[in-house]
Amino acid sequence: MKFRVEREVLADAVTWVARGLPARPPVPVLAGVLIEASADGTLTLSAFDYEVSAKVTVPADVAEPGTVLVLGRLLADISRNLPNRPIDVTTEGNKVAVTCGSSRFSLLMMPSEDYPTLPTSPEPTGTIAGDVFTQAVAQVSIAADRGDTLPILTGVRVEIDGEKMTLLATDRYRLAMRELTWNPEATDASYVALVPARTLSETAKALGAAGSIDVALGSSAGGEGLVGFEAGQRRTTTRLLDGEYPKVTSIFPTSVESEAVITTAELVEAVKRVSLVAERNTPVRLRFTEGQVTIEAGTGDDAQASEAVEATLTGPEIEIAFNPQFLLDGLGAVGTEFARLSFTQSSRPAVLSGQAKVDSEADTSYRYVLMPVRFAS
């Protein structure tokens, strides 16, 4: 095999493919990236660890077609650090020579015949705008569980009903839900998939710069139990989580007693400052009165802090306490100038949504439900 490729092109391609490679693979070949140089002047790089597959096709000057398997992370590190000149890759015996200017690396060739067969390329079930999808995934995945106690809660539940896509995640302390429209191939499309949150976030970030993303669900994803994504020349599949997701939408309060509208950035800054004195696992208290919200933290002999921020309150005054980080996660995700908090009572979940202007309607396409923390006193 012998080819020449632009440094930037190779570095981007290897980084994308190798991003999910396991650090300690159960079988050594799973740490590899498969490079296929084709006589038509293309280079296909792929990686697969039986959970996530990634594949990308890029242009190259191919002198001799062929296939090699080399350590993925090592090739990614090398290609990112080479000078900005064309890279020549050739096979020499059981080694792969990578040359760029006066830099020369010799990598060990791994046995490509032991490499697993990748899932077939997904067929799109529909498409969605890249920027919309990336924002939606970021808004929801913050609420997914990061522990291992309940694996099912480490996923984002993706539900498709015709043109409506609903993303949902919860770790039992908060719940995030985003509704958006997409373009399905079939108007009666109906799917439910549980995608690992970490993989979904990485994929959305990596593909989101593209204009649109093809999403493949069900049998068209390249196999049962998979979801597929494709944008430009990049394709990836991910194994779905098994199990029945808990029926959590019942957490959404059915009635609202009080509502407060606050400038998002001002509340974020105030909560950050006040929570500096909040010991680990202690909440910040928010007291909503006419025209303002007072944020307080710390009790008794400990350090204490308080700050007031302008707020528009509708309904009775209320005092409620939250985990400061969970509150900041939600405020960081709404993505609008104003935030609206809706309450029933101080012991019941509160709902956070965004709105463009102080007196406009709330944008309920994104809702973040926060469980309150009980007061110690």
Side-chain angles (χ1 to χ4, degrees):
M1 188 173 86
K2 186 177 181 182
F3 63 84
R4 169 174 279 202
V5 63
E6 291 300 324
R7 185 201 74 103
E8 201 64 24
V9 171
L10 185 67
D12 277 357
V14 186
T15 304
W16 151 252
V17 167
R19 77 195 192 290
L21 286 178
R24 293 184 201 79
V27 192
V29 289
L30 296 184
V33 160
L34 194 67
I35 304 173
E36 298 168 82
S38 170
D40 63 4
T42 60
L43 211 55
T44 302
L45 291 88
S46 28
F48 183 40
D49 65 356
Y50 291 108
E51 290 292 322
V52 179
S53 81
K55 200 173 196 176
V56 60
T57 307
V58 294
D61 293 329
V62 180
E64 288 174 33
T67 302
V68 293
L69 183 69
V70 291
L71 278 173
R73 285 174 183 228
L74 180 59
L75 183 61
D77 288 343
I78 290 170
S79 54
R80 278 198 300 267
N81 285 290
L82 285 172
N84 202 1
R85 300 168 66 172
I87 297 176
D88 289 300
V89 179
T90 52
T91 49
E92 296 169 355
N94 65 341
K95 297 279 180 76
V96 177
V98 178
T99 315
C100 179
S102 61
S103 303
R104 184 180 159 84
F105 290 84
S106 185
L107 308 182
L108 194 64
M109 211 189 293
M110 299 161 83
S112 54
E113 61 276 3
D114 296 348
Y115 202 67
T117 308
L118 271 84
T120 53
S121 283
E123 293 285 319
T125 310
T127 60
I128 188 163
D131 55 347
V132 173
F133 188 62
T134 307
Q135 186 203 22
V137 169
Q139 286 179 319
V140 171
S141 54
I142 48 165
D145 201 344
R146 287 169 181 77
D148 291 329
T149 42
L150 272 175
I152 201 149
L153 295 185
T154 62
V156 170
R157 185 180 186 271
V158 180
E159 184 178 352
I160 302 289
D161 182 11
E163 291 183 352
K164 185 170 149 192
M165 179 187 280
T166 307
L167 306 180
L168 177 84
T170 182
D171 61 4
R172 292 171 299 174
Y173 304 105
R174 63 249 177 96
L175 178 150
M177 182 162 123
R178 171 74 196 268
E179 295 174 335
L180 55 162
T181 50
W182 78 314
N183 304 311
E185 291 284 313
T187 48
D188 59 348
S190 174
Y191 298 96
V192 173
L194 200 55
V195 190
R198 212 183 84 226
T199 312
L200 183 63
S201 312
E202 286 173 1
T203 302
K205 276 188 206 137
L207 296 180
S212 76
I213 298 175
D214 291 345
V215 183
L217 292 149
S219 52
S220 58
E224 274 309 315
L226 295 176
V227 60
F229 300 96
E230 184 169 341
Q233 294 300 312
R234 298 177 171 191
R235 298 182 289 289
T236 180
T237 63
T238 301
R239 187 157 292 290
L240 299 172
L241 294 168
D242 274 340
E244 189 66 37
Y245 202 72
K247 300 209 175 348
V248 287
T249 44
S250 58
I251 291 171
F252 284 104
T254 46
S255 63
V256 172
E257 296 292 318
S258 307
E259 280 197 312
V261 177
I262 315 109
T263 306
T264 311
E266 283 180 12
L267 186 57
V268 166
E269 290 304 315
V271 172
K272 276 183 182 168
R273 279 190 286 269
V274 170
S275 63
L276 292 172
V277 302
E279 295 287 318
R280 186 175 146 74
N281 293 334
T282 61
V284 291
R285 300 181 299 281
L286 280 73
R287 195 164 62 248
F288 291 90
T289 52
E290 186 49 54
Q292 69 172 34
V293 53
T294 309
I295 304 120
E296 298 171 342
T299 50
D301 300 332
D302 298 328
Q304 292 170 331
S306 74
E307 185 168 334
V309 174
E310 222 179 287
T312 312
L313 180 70
T314 318
E317 296 183 356
I318 186 167
E319 188 169 354
I320 194 164
F322 295 121
N323 171 313
Q325 193 50 55
F326 291 175
L327 176 58
L328 288 169
D329 284 346
L331 290 168
V334 286
T336 49
E337 191 178 341
F338 294 92
R340 180 187 294 224
L341 278 158
S342 310
F343 312 99
T344 42
Q345 55 198 65
S346 53
S347 58
R348 307 283 302 143
V351 182
L352 170 67
S353 50
Q355 62 187 65
K357 298 195 182 103
V358 72
D359 52 0
S360 62
E361 288 290 305
D363 175 5
T364 54
S365 67
Y366 178 63
R367 286 178 290 167
Y368 183 83
V369 181
L370 209 47
M371 302 303 266
V373 182
R374 290 187 192 282
F375 294 112
S377 53

